[in-house]
Amino acid sequence: DAGVIQSPRHEVTEMGQEVTLRCKPISGHNSLFWYRQTMMRGLELLIYFNNNVPIDDSGMPEDRFSAKMPNASFSTLKIQPSEPRDSAVYFCASSSPVLGAGELFFGEGSRLTVL
Amino acid sequence: DAKTTQPTSMDCAEGRAANLPCNHSTISGNEYVYWYRQIHSQGPQYIIHGLKNNETNEMASLIITEDRKSSTLILPHATLRDTAVYYCIVRVDNYGQNFVFGPGTRLSVLP
């Protein structure tokens, strides 16, 4: 089975540009999570969805960040405008309390560098 | 906030058992203990979880104390590929509840 697929794997952009990160969860999983990882702050939850509905977005840093899940097989995390402090690895994860123990399956991450 | 405390780092000799402790003294009766690990630059990987009984799978064993205030993850024969950051997380096994990751334990398996 294909795991969680994220794109792009690496993104280098300039401050002020829009960044869109994409995630395809594992088929059949109905919970999707976006995490951000930095050396300073570790692994932080940004937002998670159940059945395509955002449940908790309290971790989203500010209005520059937005996330959508238009259907069960696709989600985006958008940063507009981007800033150097947004540089991090962004992970997407999915889970299914029905198919397993509710454990998270992570993608390989999108490494973002904002110059 | 993470509800667990773990040592910052540990070393283990290759081929020996690695025992990683975790304190979760405020754990509730319906909270599970989950373990994940993150190998450098990869996404975290699920290892094992349990409620109150000891658990074993192909990767590791999980020993939970009777009062459930602490647990130990055991890698029975550590290899160099087990070098990673190991995260202990407590979580109610409810639908869609999120996982809160703390700083974890950096395990170095030495040749």
Side-chain angles (χ1 to χ4, degrees):
Chain A
D1 285 341
V4 175
I5 300 173
Q6 292 187 244
S7 65
R9 291 294 310 279
H10 301 273
E11 174 95 4
V12 179
T13 190
E14 293 187 344
M15 183 173 64
Q17 296 298 305
E18 178 179 292
V19 173
T20 299
L21 307 178
R22 298 172 178 81
C23 175
K24 176 178 170 56
I26 293 173
S27 177
H29 283 192
N30 48 14
S31 294
L32 183 138
F33 304 76
W34 282 101
Y35 284 85
R36 177 173 69 174
Q37 187 170 37
T38 62
M39 288 292 292
M40 291 295 293
R41 301 175 65 90
L43 203 56
E44 304 174 279
L45 178 70
L46 300 178
I47 185 171
Y48 76 94
F49 297 83
N50 283 348
N51 292 323
N52 314 335
V53 176
I55 302 300
D56 183 357
D57 65 354
S58 59
M60 295 286 265
E62 50 197 89
D63 292 345
R64 297 185 298 107
F65 284 68
S66 62
K68 294 183 179 179
M69 192 164 186
N71 57 61
S73 59
F74 184 65
S75 177
T76 60
L77 178 67
K78 186 173 294 187
I79 308 172
Q80 166 63 21
S82 59
E83 297 182 2
R85 59 186 168 137
D86 301 330
S87 297
V89 181
Y90 291 80
F91 288 103
C92 177
S94 68
S95 74
S96 169
V98 175
L99 298 178
E103 64 266 31
L104 295 180
F105 293 83
F106 282 80
E108 291 300 309
S110 294
R111 181 175 295 277
L112 173 65
T113 302
V114 183
L115 304 175
Chain B
D1 291 336
K3 302 178 183 179
T4 63
T5 55
Q6 300 176 250
T8 301
S9 63
M10 294 181 62
D11 292 339
C12 176
E14 187 179 17
R16 305 297 293 268
N19 297 285
L20 292 95
C22 179
N23 286 322
H24 31 79
S25 58
T26 61
I27 193 170
S28 302
N30 60 349
E31 286 184 315
Y32 287 69
V33 181
Y34 283 77
W35 283 84
Y36 282 76
R37 74 180 182 184
Q38 187 174 24
I39 297 170
H40 179 63
S41 79
Q42 298 181 17
Q45 175 192 26
Y46 166 80
I47 301 173
I48 198 168
H49 79 289
L51 183 62
K52 52 185 174 181
N53 297 324
N54 297 337
E55 303 287 341
T56 295
N57 62 22
E58 65 279 3
M59 291 182 68
S61 295
L62 174 60
I63 308 298
I64 302 174
T65 58
E66 191 169 341
D67 63 8
R68 302 206 328 119
K69 293 184 177 182
S70 66
S71 60
T72 301
L73 178 74
I74 301 173
L75 308 179
H77 305 286
T79 71
L80 299 179
R81 288 174 294 181
D82 292 321
T83 293
V85 177
Y86 287 77
Y87 300 97
C88 170
I89 302 162
V90 295
R91 170 187 181 269
V92 177
D93 193 22
N94 278 346
Y95 177 64
Q97 292 291 314
N98 75 78
F99 287 83
V100 178
F101 288 79
T105 296
R106 183 172 297 278
L107 175 69
S108 298
V109 180
L110 308 175

